[in-house]
């Protein structure tokens, strides 16, 4: 009703997530989808994060990047007041295990603190070696981040990477990027202004959604129990889509945000599985792969 359909589609796929797998050698493959929303100020980026936090209150942690430290995001080692021994205190990513960690103002985070979540975003574990404690803890959380461009406004003449102050390793760990622009449009401006004034007058029209939040939550919980399998035809389409991405990257035709790596192939697989779960399908069809390819292409360019 209020636009941003692509962003909402990406967040819905993140809520559904891909399938977690363990190889025969015992290596765990990530199934969680990480999403980053980049955009101009006052484009309701934080509202997406706040809604997800209220939608999944028991499995979602909300934090702000400026106020978050490396220990606060991962884990801290503190001295117990009663026994005097050191113990581990869980951070935001550990508390959001099997859930979602919403990080607002992601670009305002200190570079040292951003490095701390590299391991959690890809390997989904947190390794600690402090005060004689050596431990590897689970952090199987999806990350939903919101960031502002470097100079306040998004510069369309530059690539996404030139617009945000994030390192290449962090950029490659996000599956989807969405750019929200504050564009001047008479009709859109009128509708937004009318809605905001109505809200302040407590006179806004009540939107009657086709499903309640409880019904949506029940549907998502059921869909997450499915483990869709990739068919032979979908396997060929996946390989073909990855090849197209790599060719566009090496020939310099696409001004992408980052180099296309195997991580983007894994993102394609995760998004395809999430789309299959969305349709309550036991098989990943080629149509789901093509839709995932379209989303990925839209987000990286």
């Amino acid at each position: 009703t209020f636009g941003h359909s692509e962003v909402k589609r990406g967040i819905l796929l993140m809520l559904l997530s891909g399938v977690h797998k363990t190889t025969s050698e015992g290596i765990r493959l990530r199934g969680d989808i990480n999403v980053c929303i980049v955009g101009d100020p006052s484009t309701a980026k934080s509202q997406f994060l706040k809604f997800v936090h209220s939608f999944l209150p028991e499995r979602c942690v909300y934090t702000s990047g400026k106020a978050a430290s490396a220990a606060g995001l991962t884990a801290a080692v503190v001295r117990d007041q009663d026994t005097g021994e050191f113990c581990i205190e869980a951070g935001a990513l550990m508390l959001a295990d099997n859930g979602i960690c919403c990080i607002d103002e992601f670009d305002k985070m200190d570079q040292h603190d951003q490095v701390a979540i590299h391991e959690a975003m890809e390997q989904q574990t947190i390794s600690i070696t402090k005060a004689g404690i050596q431990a590897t803890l689970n952090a199987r959380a999806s990350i939903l981040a919101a960031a502002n461009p470097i100079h306040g406004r998004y510069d369309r003449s530059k690539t996404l990477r030139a617009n945000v102050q994030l390192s290449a390793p962090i950029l490659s760990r996000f599956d989807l990027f969405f750019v929200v622009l504050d564009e001047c449009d008479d009709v859109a401006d009128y509708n937004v202004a009318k809605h905001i004034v109505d809200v302040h007058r407590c006179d806004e029209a009540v939107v009657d959604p086709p499903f309640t939040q409880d019904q949506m939550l029940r549907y998502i919980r059921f869909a997450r129990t499915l483990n869709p399998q990739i068919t032979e035809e979908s396997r060929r389409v996946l390989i073909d889509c990855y090849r197209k991405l790599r060719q566009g990257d090496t020939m310099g035709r696409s001004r992408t945000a980052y180099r296309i790596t195997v991580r983007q192939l894994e993102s394609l697989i995760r998004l395809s599985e999430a789309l299959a779960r969305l349709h309550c399908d036991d098989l990943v069809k080629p149509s789901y792969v093509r839709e995932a390819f379209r989303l990925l292409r839209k987000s990286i360019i």
Side-chain angles (χ1 to χ4, degrees):
T1 309
F2 297 106
H4 295 310
S5 57
E6 294 292 343
V7 184
K8 290 170 184 172
R9 186 179 283 119
I11 290 173
L12 177 60
L13 294 181
M14 181 192 68
L15 290 169
L16 291 161
S17 84
V19 181
H20 293 273
K21 306 179 191 77
T22 306
T23 62
S24 54
E25 292 93 359
I27 300 168
R28 289 194 307 185
L29 300 177
R30 171 162 73 96
D32 291 313
I33 294 169
N34 298 323
V35 178
C36 184
I37 304 169
V38 180
D40 297 329
S42 80
T43 48
K45 297 185 299 297
S46 298
Q47 290 302 317
F48 289 117
L49 277 67
K50 286 285 187 186
F51 178 79
V52 170
H53 182 242
S54 63
F55 185 64
L56 296 171
E58 75 280 359
R59 290 172 53 211
C60 189
V61 176
Y62 183 91
T63 180
S64 180
K66 189 68 179 170
S69 65
L73 281 172
T74 54
V77 174
V78 293
R79 191 185 288 274
D80 190 275
Q81 289 182 348
D82 299 329
T83 61
E85 294 179 353
F86 286 105
C87 61
I88 295 172
E89 213 169 67
L93 287 166
M94 277 177 65
L95 293 171
D97 192 30
N98 285 325
I100 292 165
C101 183
C102 301
I103 306 175
D104 206 355
E105 308 289 348
F106 193 65
D107 56 311
K108 310 287 191 307
M109 277 177 70
D110 191 56
Q111 198 75 30
H112 169 70
D113 299 331
Q114 277 185 9
V115 170
I117 63 171
H118 278 205
E119 184 191 358
M121 285 181 77
E122 193 58 48
Q123 277 74 43
Q124 300 211 296
T125 55
I126 292 168
S127 300
I128 288 182
T129 311
K130 291 178 185 174
I133 293 175
Q134 282 191 321
T136 302
L137 311 159
N138 285 328
R140 296 159 297 188
S142 298
I143 289 179
L144 174 60
N148 286 109
I150 293 173
H151 301 297
R153 304 283 288 192
Y154 192 89
D155 189 352
R156 285 185 156 195
S157 63
K158 295 178 183 175
T159 60
L160 176 64
R161 186 174 177 181
N163 270 291
V164 288
Q165 206 164 8
L166 298 174
S167 61
I170 287 268
L171 282 169
S172 70
R173 279 169 165 82
F174 279 106
D175 298 282
L176 290 175
F177 275 93
F178 292 105
V179 177
V180 185
L181 298 173
D182 184 14
E183 294 177 303
C184 295
D185 184 311
D186 278 355
V187 178
D189 290 347
Y190 172 79
N191 288 331
V192 168
K194 182 177 180 298
H195 177 70
I196 289 171
V197 172
D198 285 347
V199 167
H200 280 270
R201 289 179 63 212
C202 301
D203 190 33
E204 82 273 19
V206 177
V207 178
D208 188 25
F211 307 106
T212 64
Q213 281 199 25
D214 286 341
Q215 288 173 326
M216 284 166 60
L217 202 54
R218 208 176 307 143
Y219 184 87
I220 288 170
R221 278 179 179 152
F222 170 73
R224 282 177 71 101
T225 61
L226 302 173
N227 292 326
Q229 302 293 315
I230 298 170
T231 62
E232 186 62 34
E233 190 182 352
S234 297
R235 187 180 73 89
R236 286 197 294 271
V237 176
L238 272 167
I239 294 167
D240 191 44
C241 289
Y242 176 63
R243 210 182 72 241
K244 283 179 187 171
L245 283 172
R246 288 285 286 187
Q247 280 177 345
D249 192 36
T250 51
M251 293 173 75
R253 281 201 302 256
S254 60
R255 298 168 70 228
T256 51
Y258 41 72
R259 290 300 303 270
I260 303 299
T261 61
V262 181
R263 280 192 182 136
Q264 276 62 60
L265 174 60
E266 291 191 320
S267 297
L268 263 178
I269 294 167
R270 281 191 288 271
L271 291 168
S272 306
E273 289 169 346
L275 280 160
R277 281 179 164 179
L278 178 61
H279 292 90
C280 289
D281 205 333
D282 289 326
L283 296 173
V284 177
K285 294 177 181 173
S287 58
Y288 304 151
V289 179
R290 292 189 188 98
E291 172 63 14
F293 179 61
R294 185 191 70 80
L295 269 171
L296 199 65
R297 278 282 286 271
K298 190 168 179 139
S299 74
I300 61 177
I301 294 174

